[in-house]
Amino acid sequence: MTSHSISDSADMAASRSRADALASFKTGDTIFQWMTYLAAACVLLVLGGIIVSLFFGAWPAISTFGLDFLTTQRWAPNARPQAVLGGLGPIYGTLVTSVIALIIAAPVGLGIAVFLTELCPQWLRRPIGVAVELLAGIPSIIYGIWGFFVLGPWLADTIEPAIANAFEGVPILGALFDGPASNLSIFNASLVLAIMILPFVTAIARDVFSTVPPVLKEAAYGLGCTRWEVVRHVVLPFTRVGVIGGIMLALGRALGETMAVTFVIGNSFRISGSIFAPGTTISAAIASEFAESRDLHQSALILLGLLLFVLTFFVLAAARLMLMRLERKQGA
Amino acid sequence: MNPLYARRRRKSAIAMMLCVGATVFGLTWLVLILATLFWNGLAGFTLDVFTQMTPPPNAQDGGLLNAIVGSLILTGLGIAVGAPIGVLAGTFMAEYGRYSKLTSIIRFINDILLSAPSIIIGLFVYGAVVVPMGGFSGLAGAIALAVIALPVVVRTTEDMLLLVPIQLREAAAALGMPRSYVIKRVTWQAARTGLVTGLLLAVARISGETAPLLFTALSNQFWSVDLLKTMANLPVTINNFINNPDPNWKRLAWSGALIITMAVLALNILARSLSARSQSK
């Protein structure tokens, strides 16, 4: 009888502690799930925060200048009675440097990717791939000072005069390469940008090239295609969307790159037809003027930042959608 | 060989030569940049760089101690804030919300934040932290770095957790483990190396960032560990010193550039060798 009651109460105790344990598991589970949920919401909050804070910061400039901001070239924060601030110069500089950088980096990056996937002996693939990716790891300020001290003087002394001479008198191109060579120029900034985005183009192109089913390439080789024909007519058409997505991703990087450009572009708000002349980009303007700016001047810089964010947002979104389409195609 | 085939072969050979040329071109820049960095950085490299404060103008000695310590604090704090949120968010995306619509939206937004210009993050933190707090501070700089680190960690965490075989989770769940236990004790354990790789990549990414610190942490010339005041840090110090005519400052800036690049490259290589080892297993 006694023994029975003891085991009874032991059973009850056991079942109670079991219930307690289950309950604590359950609360622990719920808390953990909510923590992950909130953390995930943080990502959305950051995006929302960026948009809201930029918009509020830019509002004084938006209400003062309106759409004229996009078409005015003059940038005179100290003008009387009121500052005259137009974003045309930096916007132009941002677009031109990025496009030139892309014109240089896209073919070179694709070339490296073709080399890595089609030509390179197996044992060299990893080292060269890593080396190219290390280029992406170098902090952008290092590119900036390198462009300032090494690339700029070299371009100004040798390359730019040579190009200018070669195209002198040629319509359009002559004007494009006109003017005195300068250490700080749009051309220098574009070249530094091109070197910086090269690894992005290469990495993505290499990844999408390796998604081509070997049997497609083998079939083409079997028909007697040369290596170039396989790349041109099998690999590239199959990966077209992914390659374009990768290039746009690199474009998004180039548009927003700051420190590398700030060092070498010369920070001039005047638009010059020549790419050998100094200019500025949105990010360079913000980096060099923001800390000392006040009131409307600061608001105008934030407005530039907002424009940059919207621009990169759409470029990057388009890039991601393209890459996602490629992934889906693979999954199907 | 018929002439048509010879022409095709020639065309192919030229194209492939161009590809080799492109590779040489790309690697040349890496070599050139590293060579410049070593040449200028080692020229004035002494042990003082690690033991002395940044000097006033026209001094002959001095080092980067305060800037190095400041950078370590900012980076450490940035990771300490960004990494846990990132790991949890990645966990949500790979575990609880794997098939939900929200996850694909977050993934899309996260990928955009991953490549968003870092100066924009600086502007955001300036508006959200610096202005309300009434001044530049190390804390604001650390928050800016955390915002930059977050998407990197989210991305790698999700990718790594998705690689963990579903059978592991099922086996753990069949033993009666609650879901949070399964995630913490089984899934995270299985993906451990990958998660560490993600953290290393995030550290590498933020330790060289300059633009977002320009108007959040600012920088200064002194020993500064107070998070509520401006904080010395390497990237901004390099930025301020390199263009200065003072040869001593310029020398220190090059040394700083060498330190930061070596640190970032070492982190990158470490992360890559870690992930390579876990893949070969």
Side-chain angles (χ1 to χ4, degrees):
Chain A
M1 182 70 191
T2 22
S3 71
H4 190 188
S5 74
I6 287 171
S7 85
D8 242 15
S9 59
D11 270 0
M12 271 169 66
S15 74
R16 193 179 306 122
S17 71
R18 194 180 152 77
D20 284 351
L22 275 179
S24 81
F25 275 166
K26 210 168 176 183
T27 37
D29 241 18
T30 321
I31 291 171
F32 186 76
Q33 181 167 1
W34 271 100
M35 274 165 64
T36 63
Y37 188 75
L38 288 178
C42 266
V43 176
L44 300 180
L45 266 180
V46 166
L47 183 80
I50 290 174
I51 294 170
V52 169
S53 102
L54 287 183
F55 192 78
F56 269 100
W59 182 248
I62 297 175
S63 57
T64 314
F65 303 116
L67 277 179
D68 286 347
F69 189 79
L70 296 176
T71 52
T72 311
Q73 205 193 120
R74 186 151 175 242
W75 183 267
N78 298 319
R80 298 283 161 221
Q82 200 201 16
V84 180
L85 298 161
L88 191 60
I91 294 170
Y92 166 85
T94 303
L95 295 177
V96 168
T97 48
S98 302
V99 168
I100 298 176
L102 214 55
I103 291 174
I104 300 170
V108 176
L110 291 183
I112 299 179
V114 170
F115 175 79
L116 283 175
T117 51
E118 305 292 328
L119 288 177
C120 188
Q122 200 69 42
W123 58 273
L124 251 178
R125 273 182 200 188
R126 234 186 105 71
I128 292 185
V130 170
V132 172
E133 279 164 27
L134 285 187
L135 262 180
I138 297 177
S140 68
I141 188 169
I142 306 296
Y143 284 97
I145 59 183
W146 181 77
F148 183 78
F149 286 106
V150 181
L151 189 62
W154 182 63
L155 287 179
D157 294 342
T158 21
I159 302 296
E160 292 181 8
I163 300 180
N165 281 338
F167 288 101
E168 202 170 358
V170 182
I172 302 174
L173 283 180
L176 194 61
F177 300 122
D178 188 26
S182 142
N183 279 4
L184 307 173
S185 64
I186 288 189
F187 182 59
N188 189 354
S190 309
L191 208 52
V192 171
L193 273 182
I195 300 169
M196 288 197 68
I197 61 175
L198 190 56
F200 297 108
V201 181
T202 306
I204 292 186
R206 188 189 57 186
D207 289 351
V208 299
F209 282 175
S210 60
T211 64
V212 179
V215 67
L216 276 185
K217 285 197 273 183
E218 282 156 14
Y221 281 123
L223 288 174
C225 285
T226 61
R227 215 172 266 192
W228 166 244
E229 284 160 354
V230 172
V231 171
R232 175 69 191 79
H233 298 293
V234 177
V235 176
L236 278 181
F238 188 85
T239 56
R240 196 182 58 234
V241 181
V243 167
I244 297 174
I247 289 176
M248 292 190 64
L249 207 62
L251 176 64
R253 287 278 178 161
L255 288 170
E257 185 41 55
T258 308
M259 293 320 292
V261 174
T262 309
F263 271 95
V264 294
I265 199 158
N267 206 28
S268 151
F269 283 77
R270 226 173 56 82
I271 296 177
S272 161
S274 165
I275 61 168
F276 291 161
T280 194
T281 67
I282 292 177
S283 46
I286 299 173
S288 44
E289 298 197 358
F290 193 83
E292 281 106 43
S293 64
R294 274 179 294 118
D295 307 333
L296 201 57
H297 183 197
Q298 185 165 68
S299 176
L301 287 171
I302 297 179
L303 176 54
L304 279 178
L306 180 64
L307 291 173
L308 175 65
F309 187 66
V310 171
L311 188 63
T312 46
F313 187 92
F314 281 114
V315 170
L316 293 172
R320 286 296 169 190
L321 287 175
M322 282 178 164
L323 289 171
M324 266 157 61
R325 217 172 87 189
L326 187 80
E327 263 166 39
R328 261 208 301 280
K329 192 168 89 180
Q330 259 189 292
Chain B
M1 204 188 299
N2 74 53
L4 177 66
Y5 187 54
R7 203 170 69 230
R8 286 170 53 204
R9 292 268 304 248
R10 217 163 37 237
K11 200 167 155 191
S12 177
I14 291 171
M16 291 307 126
M17 286 291 285
L18 286 175
C19 289
V20 175
T23 311
V24 173
F25 178 80
L27 293 179
T28 308
W29 298 120
L30 182 68
V31 173
L32 277 178
I33 291 172
L34 290 182
T36 316
L37 211 52
F38 272 108
W39 180 257
N40 290 294
L42 286 178
F45 207 85
T46 56
L47 214 57
D48 284 354
V49 170
F50 294 104
T51 56
Q52 309 247 327
M53 302 292 157
T54 43
N58 301 320
Q60 286 309 309
D61 52 357
L64 294 165
L65 177 63
N66 51 345
I68 293 173
V69 171
S71 266
L72 289 178
I73 296 176
L74 288 176
T75 308
L77 209 59
I79 282 293
V81 175
I85 301 178
V87 169
L88 285 174
T91 306
F92 174 82
M93 291 160 71
E95 302 286 337
Y96 292 109
R98 185 180 283 204
Y99 304 104
S100 80
K101 188 94 186 149
L102 181 67
T103 297
S104 44
I105 295 172
I106 292 176
R107 189 181 302 127
F108 187 70
I109 300 290
N110 190 66
D111 281 347
I112 287 175
L113 288 178
L114 198 63
S115 322
S118 56
I119 192 145
I120 299 294
I121 310 291
L123 282 181
F124 159 56
V125 173
Y126 180 85
V129 180
V130 176
V131 173
M133 277 180 55
F136 303 110
S137 65
L139 189 64
I143 293 175
L145 294 183
V147 173
I148 293 171
L150 177 69
V152 183
V153 180
V154 171
R155 182 68 203 254
T156 43
T157 305
E158 196 208 355
D159 286 352
M160 291 304 146
L161 293 183
L162 287 178
L163 288 180
V164 176
I166 194 84
Q167 286 86 345
L168 270 181
R169 298 188 183 94
E170 287 169 351
L175 290 174
M177 269 176 142
R179 198 161 182 191
S180 59
Y181 257 64
V182 176
I183 292 170
K184 280 186 276 194
R185 296 292 166 81
V186 178
T187 324
W188 281 359
Q189 282 296 318
R192 202 174 48 226
T193 332
L195 299 185
V196 174
T197 308
L199 288 193
L200 288 175
L201 286 177
V203 175
R205 170 83 198 270
I206 65 174
S207 50
E209 282 290 351
T210 317
L213 295 178
L214 284 174
F215 31 84
T216 51
L218 213 61
S219 188
N220 63 42
Q221 294 270 47
F222 321 105
W223 177 254
S224 46
V225 288
D226 184 351
L227 281 177
L228 298 178
K229 301 214 175 78
T230 62
M231 188 176 261
N233 59 83
L234 259 185
V236 180
T237 304
I238 297 171
N239 181 51
N240 296 344
F241 278 17
I242 198 90
N243 275 326
N244 203 282
D246 185 346
N248 191 38
W249 274 14
K250 193 172 266 180
R251 170 185 73 88
L252 282 175
W254 277 111
S255 302
L258 180 63
I259 295 173
I260 225 168
T261 310
M262 287 305 112
V264 170
L265 293 188
L267 281 166
N268 266 310
I269 292 174
L270 187 66
R272 260 167 238 296
S273 58
L274 260 183
S275 71
R277 217 182 54 199
S278 72
Q279 267 163 26
S280 68
K281 246 194 296 196

